[in-house]
Amino acid sequence: MVQNLPGEAQVVIIGGGVIGCSIAYHLTKVGISETLLVERRRLTCGTTWHAAGLIGQLRGSSRMTQLARYTADLYRDLEEETGQATGFKQRGSISLATNESRFEELKRNASMAKVFNLQVDVLRPEEVKERYPPINIDDLVGAIAIPSDGQANAIDVTQALAKGARSRGALIFENTQVTEILHDGERVTGVRVGDAIIRANAVVLSAGMWTRDLAASIGVHVPLHACEHFYIVTEPFPALTPDLPVLRDYDSCAYYKEDAGKLLLGAFEPKAKPWGMDGIPEDFCFDELPEDIEHFEPILFSAIERLPALADVGIQTFFCGPESFTPDVRYHLGETPELRNCYVAAGFNSIGLQSAGGAGKVMAEWIRDCRPPVDLWEVDVRRNLPFQSNRRYLRERVGESLGLLYSMHWPFFQSETSRGVRRSPVHDRLVEQGACHGVAFGWERPNWYAKPGSKPTYEYSYGRQNWFDASAEEHRAVREDVGLLDQSSFAKFRLQGRDAEKVLNQVCANDVAMEPGRLVYTQWLNEVGGIEADLTVTRLAADDYLIVTSGEFQVSDFNWLKRHIPKGAHAVATDVTSGLATIGIMGPRARDLLSCLTKDDLSNKAFPFGSSREIELGYALVRASRITYVGELGWELYIPTEFTLGVYDLLVEAGAEYNLRHIGMHAMNSLRIEKAYRHYGHDITDNDTPLEAGLGFAVAFDKPNGFIGREALLKQKENGVNKRFVQFLLENRQPLLYHNEPIWRDGMLAGYVRSGMYGHTLDGAVGLGYIEHPDGVDLDYLMSGAYEIEVAGELYPAKPSLQPLYDPRSERIKA
């Protein structure tokens, strides 16, 4: 077949599973007909062929639910379009709850579904019995049902997508293995198949569990690892009727699907079995893994209790096959930071079939437009850090990841495996202070501090968790006295060179042509005005800048900066995150504490808000920046790593006189939400503009030579916006907001909460979100409505505000 390969293509897709074929199908739909898909063996032969065939639509977020819903709509019509059977059946699904916490989670998801008009019914146990007669409901407290969910045959769906792609010009070659991905160090240029070279504008790595090693061959990090996935197929038995919906029994880690009178029973057990640590056999094709009845037995015994008729039914098939899982149970999509025009679509965590349609659509649009068509950060491959490709890290983590699909999705849940990867220099000191560390982007971060005599461990719930009161005290300490925050997880870059100002002023929406010793808050925008990054820029010298951003976006923001340094420009970007620890000293007594430890003048006149300079602190020279993310007077201290312990000890010793308190990330979050400070990835994304987000004050429209996205913003400024960022305070003090709760205005759906937390100063749950209206959103429209926020099916009145409800004039931070 190699001799028939074309010499060039617009896009080459590596991998012939349902994901790769969906991308080919959608590329041809958006006009990229010169698409080539190559599969090392046969279509579907890796993981797709043994997919259970569930087509669920309700996911853990608004965006992922929208993509899954598109997938179901696509499969519903695919057979009619292509003439290829798909086995799609719209029988619906039921998800069970055997305790009140699970029922709370399901009801919150049902509320979220209203945001995009997906029907989700909340059921009583007896209503479950009516819809699924063979079930035992003795231990149920409730359930949700989605009538439009379905099931399909994964092989047939893949063949239909391939047929649709071929009909519009795509070429698909089986038994054709890519032996090398070609690139020039900056971008991919094609692939090699044996002795043949195929030039391409873009290459997509969609090779399932082979993708990690394939990507590693060109220096690209795609963290995923295979796990064994088990299911059985029973003999036929009379209790199963063709109209039964798919049944998900999350608390028993099991799913049930009727198929031709038989039952497919599958599992997402809490402790999975990683597979393929030493590599996947070269000839692996439609292969099964050895049975492990003992591993599956607990699932089977629970299933017999749920469906008593199973006790007298034989097992026709015991199946075990590999599927790839990722560290955070979210798949990888998009252009890699290491190489331009190199795209990834892999690591689908056993939901590849129900994700393939939406993933293929947005990937095709991403390739066509060279940017994501919607906010896809939660699955963006740029969220990953290089260390996450470490084999030991992956093996330990994915054994937990598989089980997280069906475990409780608690607010503030912390993974238990692969911990301690990144630690700040004061980590052990904070443990001594009672820190309960959470993990974020590999960093161990103190989320809260346990009181003496209590254990620094989480007790999860949807209500006030065991750390709520401790975090409230930390919150109040920052408002009333002074707090110490370990912010070492912030990502830090230097941009140096005589062209640094010119380069950075093109990237930044705000003006960074300030005097050394000053800092600004700014966004980085894309060409359509969407926010790509949210950060601070400090000018250290005429040719030297320090850029500070969230640790979550370390890879993506650094990549964005490097890619916007023009060829020939005298500017060098360096990631200095590991070289600088960061300690925040925040609160009305922050100046008093620091002033007793340094001879430098920290008065408001000598050191105003937005200033940054080196000060002497103990034996160290520390960069002190007067900036805040908690809405109080304070300084962020950037300390060379080797000096950090000495500076910390000095601060803690002197801090006793000023009621210094250690502050965790939960308190930082409640403090920033009270002040309506935005969080990138939740409150602002690449699909939100500064004008919509209420950040126009950080845009320097008139600075010389403009900036990326300026023209789009000017056009939006002229036309007006149809959504606005709003802060809400619940009038009822009992409910808690997290995110994705629907916002109602005068009884009509108007938006949803992007992020939420209890505001201990405002004494109520605070939510941040957007109000949308097609005819525009102005102040009169916003304030003339009556608002309610829905929590688990209940509506609660909410007070809206465009200005921060706490310190609206920012008098405290400028004191």
Side-chain angles (χ1 to χ4, degrees):
M1 236 180 237
V2 171
Q3 63 270 24
N4 298 322
L5 287 169
E8 61 180 8
Q10 287 180 276
V11 181
V12 172
I13 302 167
I14 304 173
V18 68
I19 304 298
C21 289
S22 178
I23 295 170
Y25 171 90
H26 285 91
L27 280 169
T28 61
K29 289 202 77 171
V30 299
I32 303 178
S33 58
E34 293 181 15
T35 293
L36 171 66
L37 184 149
V38 290
E39 162 56 46
R40 55 184 287 279
R41 297 293 180 180
R42 300 286 300 279
L43 295 185
T44 78
C45 73
T47 295
T48 298
W49 73 275
H50 60 73
L54 311 185
I55 313 296
Q57 298 169 88
L58 188 58
R59 311 298 305 157
S61 71
S62 172
R63 182 65 65 204
M64 293 301 103
T65 300
Q66 289 173 327
L67 296 186
R69 190 175 184 189
Y70 169 82
T71 299
D73 292 341
L74 172 68
Y75 294 170
R76 188 177 299 112
D77 302 326
L78 192 58
E79 181 173 342
E80 181 179 352
E81 176 194 340
T82 64
Q84 165 69 47
T86 61
F88 181 81
K89 302 169 185 175
Q90 192 171 338
R91 293 180 177 173
S93 70
I94 297 176
S95 298
L96 307 177
T98 62
N99 56 71
E100 291 296 339
S101 294
R102 178 70 74 179
F103 199 28
E104 170 89 356
E105 177 184 349
L106 295 180
K107 287 188 291 185
R108 282 178 174 262
N109 287 342
S111 291
M112 180 187 69
K114 296 176 184 178
V115 174
F116 27 82
N117 198 31
L118 175 64
Q119 180 184 342
V120 179
D121 303 325
V122 178
L123 306 180
R124 300 187 305 275
E126 54 270 26
E127 293 175 308
V128 175
K129 184 74 173 179
E130 292 172 3
R131 300 191 188 198
Y132 205 102
I135 194 172
N136 172 17
I137 62 171
D138 289 348
D139 61 340
L140 296 189
V141 298
I144 61 170
I146 306 176
S148 58
D149 274 357
Q151 58 190 70
N153 183 295
I155 293 178
D156 290 344
V157 167
T158 305
Q159 293 293 349
L161 291 167
K163 186 175 181 180
R166 289 190 186 101
S167 71
R168 288 184 291 270
L171 299 177
I172 298 177
F173 286 83
E174 297 179 290
N175 298 306
T176 305
Q177 185 166 359
V178 170
T179 53
E180 184 182 2
I181 301 171
L182 306 175
H183 62 92
D184 61 10
E186 293 186 3
R187 64 184 67 237
V188 296
T189 57
V191 299
R192 185 189 300 275
V193 178
D195 295 329
I197 290 178
I198 306 165
R199 299 295 175 188
N201 296 329
V203 173
V204 182
L205 312 184
S206 189
M209 54 191 169
W210 287 270
T211 303
R212 179 200 172 277
D213 291 343
L214 182 64
S217 72
I218 53 173
V220 169
H221 297 281
V222 183
L224 55 81
H225 194 294
C227 282
E228 298 182 15
H229 182 52
F230 298 86
Y231 62 73
I232 64 167
V233 179
T234 70
E235 295 176 344
F237 61 102
L240 293 181
T241 57
D243 58 340
L244 287 178
V246 169
L247 189 69
R248 294 181 176 88
D249 191 353
Y250 293 118
D251 298 321
S252 296
C253 312
Y255 60 87
Y256 304 73
K257 185 189 81 167
E258 186 280 335
D259 192 358
K262 307 172 186 177
L263 182 73
L264 185 152
L265 169 65
F268 290 108
E269 65 277 21
K271 293 186 179 180
K273 297 175 64 178
W275 179 80
M277 185 69 175
D278 299 322
I280 302 169
E282 182 62 31
D283 59 353
F284 195 92
C285 179
F286 296 112
D287 287 1
E288 298 184 29
L289 303 181
E291 297 180 359
D292 188 342
I293 299 291
E294 184 177 349
H295 185 82
F296 193 78
E297 270 185 348
I299 304 297
L300 185 57
F301 290 151
S302 294
I304 292 173
E305 293 182 10
R306 180 64 63 214
L307 295 184
L310 280 176
D312 301 317
V313 177
I315 297 176
Q316 189 176 83
T317 302
F318 188 104
F319 179 83
C320 177
E323 299 189 14
S324 58
F325 288 81
T326 66
D328 56 8
V329 210
R330 306 199 304 260
Y331 53 84
H332 300 313
L333 209 64
E335 188 181 28
T336 68
E338 295 90 349
L339 288 172
R340 288 180 179 268
N341 297 340
C342 179
Y343 293 85
V344 170
F348 278 78
N349 301 288
S350 202
I351 58 168
L353 181 63
Q354 64 185 278
S355 303
K361 180 180 186 293
V362 295
M363 179 63 86
E365 293 169 353
W366 196 332
I367 294 170
R368 179 195 62 191
D369 301 333
C370 299
R371 63 172 182 269
V374 292
D375 169 35
L376 293 167
W377 177 252
E378 63 186 291
V379 293
D380 194 318
V381 70
R382 294 174 298 170
R383 76 186 185 277
N384 299 298
L385 291 146
F387 81 86
Q388 291 179 298
S389 290
N390 177 282
R391 287 181 173 86
R392 179 182 173 188
Y393 170 89
L394 285 171
R395 181 179 177 85
E396 293 177 6
R397 174 56 64 83
V398 298
E400 179 184 11
S401 294
L402 181 146
L404 294 180
L405 284 170
Y406 274 21
S407 68
M408 282 293 300
H409 300 95
W410 296 114
F412 312 107
F413 174 81
Q414 303 298 322
S415 295
E416 297 178 356
T417 56
S418 301
R419 294 292 298 267
V421 178
R422 307 172 82 186
R423 299 179 181 181
S424 80
V426 298
H427 176 271
D428 291 347
R429 296 281 206 277
L430 303 185
V431 170
E432 293 173 0
Q433 293 287 339
C436 181
H437 281 87
V439 62
F441 7 107
W443 282 99
E444 294 292 324
R445 304 195 305 178
N447 280 346
W448 57 283
Y449 289 83
K451 297 178 181 179
S454 60
K455 294 182 178 180
T457 56
Y458 278 91
E459 296 174 13
Y460 295 116
S461 77
Y462 270 94
R464 287 158 169 74
Q465 297 185 8
N466 63 312
W467 50 264
F468 186 87
D469 290 339
S471 188
E473 292 183 11
E474 296 168 25
H475 180 112
R476 285 189 282 269
V478 174
R479 293 282 186 247
E480 298 168 6
D481 290 306
V482 60
L484 182 152
L485 301 94
D486 180 11
Q487 300 171 223
S488 298
S489 61
F490 283 6
K492 290 143 289 212
F493 317 137
R494 295 282 283 273
L495 185 69
Q496 299 167 295
R498 62 175 177 267
D499 293 329
E501 178 190 305
K502 181 179 179 181
V503 169
L504 206 49
N505 239 356
Q506 266 293 297
V507 175
C508 295
N510 212 339
D511 193 351
V512 300
M514 64 275 194
E515 293 295 318
R518 297 292 299 173
L519 64 85
V520 296
Y521 169 61
T522 187
Q523 286 76 45
W524 294 350
L525 310 181
N526 54 40
E527 294 290 347
V528 296
I531 301 171
E532 291 286 344
D534 181 70
L535 41 77
T536 61
V537 174
T538 303
R539 191 163 202 169
L540 308 181
D543 60 352
D544 193 355
Y545 286 88
L546 173 68
I547 300 156
V548 180
T549 188
S550 166
E552 182 176 1
F553 305 98
Q554 181 175 351
V555 169
S556 62
D557 288 357
F558 191 61
N559 172 251
W560 185 268
L561 177 61
K562 288 199 302 179
R563 289 190 175 186
H564 287 88
I565 300 175
K567 286 187 180 296
H570 192 268
V572 177
T574 308
D575 188 329
V576 296
T577 302
S578 297
L580 291 173
T582 307
I583 292 177
I585 300 296
M586 300 288 162
R589 304 185 75 182
R591 180 181 286 118
D592 298 335
L593 169 57
L594 292 175
S595 292
C596 81
L597 297 174
T598 182
K599 294 298 184 182
D600 291 272
D601 188 352
L602 303 183
S603 68
N604 198 42
K605 182 177 179 180
F607 208 133
F609 184 76
S611 299
S612 178
R613 67 184 64 146
E614 284 191 338
I615 65 172
E616 292 184 10
L617 207 56
Y619 300 124
L621 283 175
V622 172
R623 174 156 295 278
S625 295
R626 191 169 165 197
I627 191 72
T628 179
Y629 194 49
V630 297
E632 297 293 340
L633 169 70
W635 281 262
E636 291 175 355
L637 306 177
Y638 295 91
I639 313 165
T641 302
E642 68 271 28
F643 289 95
T644 306
L645 282 175
V647 171
Y648 168 85
D649 289 342
L650 187 70
L651 290 166
V652 172
E653 182 181 4
E657 184 178 342
Y658 300 92
N659 295 327
L660 176 71
R661 178 130 187 181
H662 285 71
I663 310 300
M665 289 294 161
H666 290 336
M668 175 183 271
N669 196 33
S670 62
L671 290 159
R672 72 95 184 168
I673 285 180
E674 277 194 336
K675 193 67 175 67
Y677 285 155
R678 285 65 161 163
H679 177 270
Y680 190 80
H682 285 96
D683 308 314
I684 47 179
T685 71
D686 55 2
N687 277 185
D688 305 309
T689 73
L691 301 182
E692 296 165 341
L695 298 174
F697 65 89
V699 178
F701 282 103
D702 298 329
K703 66 177 177 177
N705 303 314
F707 55 88
I708 299 170
R710 177 178 181 271
E711 288 70 25
L713 283 192
L714 285 172
K715 184 176 180 180
Q716 187 179 62
K717 190 176 183 181
E718 179 182 352
N719 296 335
V721 297
N722 58 16
K723 69 178 184 181
R724 287 286 296 274
F725 184 84
V726 184
Q727 184 183 37
F728 292 92
L729 175 66
L730 290 188
E731 296 178 10
N732 187 314
R733 299 319 191 221
Q734 290 306 308
L736 298 181
L737 299 176
Y738 298 113
H739 57 90
N740 290 330
E741 293 89 354
I743 302 170
W744 298 87
R745 179 186 182 276
D746 294 339
M748 300 292 291
L749 190 65
Y752 63 95
V753 172
R754 295 286 189 95
S755 60
M757 200 75 172
Y758 196 88
H760 300 286
T761 309
L762 298 175
D763 195 21
V766 183
L768 305 178
Y770 291 82
I771 294 302
E772 302 187 35
H773 188 257
D775 296 330
V777 179
D778 58 19
L779 181 60
D780 288 341
Y781 178 82
L782 283 170
M783 304 312 295
S784 63
Y787 292 91
E788 296 172 300
I789 295 179
E790 182 173 340
V791 180
E794 299 290 330
L795 294 176
Y796 297 94
K799 173 186 176 181
S801 179
L802 283 178
Q803 298 297 318
L805 291 169
Y806 179 78
D807 189 23
R809 297 184 179 181
S810 296
E811 294 170 339
R812 296 176 68 89
I813 69 174
K814 298 176 182 178

